[in-house]
Amino acid sequence: MPIKMKVYHRGRETLVAAADAALLGKTFREAGLRLEVSSFYDGDVVTEEQFLAHLALATMGNFVGAETIETAKKGGFVVDEGVLWVDGVPHAQYVVMM
């Protein structure tokens, strides 16, 4: 399953938003939580290597989907304890604190 990634720049901050492509346009709900996989994530299809290279330069990350989360975990950007599950779909965030 391909990963879609969009990069946002604002001042000194760089945010990488990435999601499993098959989840785009879907909304998941569970126990008062709502996870909308909107156009916020709808960028370019990238390889694992491209995704990890962008994350290495990012100050923030927002990830949805099993493949995207697993790739971020391989790169050391996400740990299991930091993953929130909503209706069976994993979501995680990454922030560099200076």
Side-chain angles (χ1 to χ4, degrees):
M1 179 180 319
I3 295 173
K4 299 253 347 219
M5 180 188 78
K6 198 168 192 177
V7 179
Y8 297 88
H9 300 282
R10 181 147 199 152
R12 300 169 116 184
E13 305 297 333
T14 299
L15 166 69
V16 172
D20 293 5
L23 300 178
L24 286 169
K26 297 182 179 178
T27 300
F28 303 92
R29 293 177 177 86
E30 179 182 341
L33 298 174
R34 182 173 168 263
L35 177 60
E36 182 179 352
V37 191
S38 66
S39 61
F40 175 74
Y41 301 92
D42 194 6
D44 298 323
V45 172
V46 294
T47 64
E48 286 188 6
E49 293 79 16
Q50 290 170 318
F51 176 46
L52 292 174
H54 277 87
L55 281 181
L57 302 173
T59 55
M60 294 177 279
N62 195 315
F63 319 122
V64 179
E67 183 172 341
T68 301
I69 298 281
E70 283 303 314
T71 302
K73 283 170 48 177
K74 285 181 196 173
F77 298 97
V78 172
V79 294
D80 286 332
E81 296 80 18
V83 177
L84 173 68
W85 291 82
V86 179
D87 194 21
V89 177
H91 171 37
Q93 295 180 340
Y94 165 77
V95 179
V96 175
M97 305 287 279
M98 299 282 203

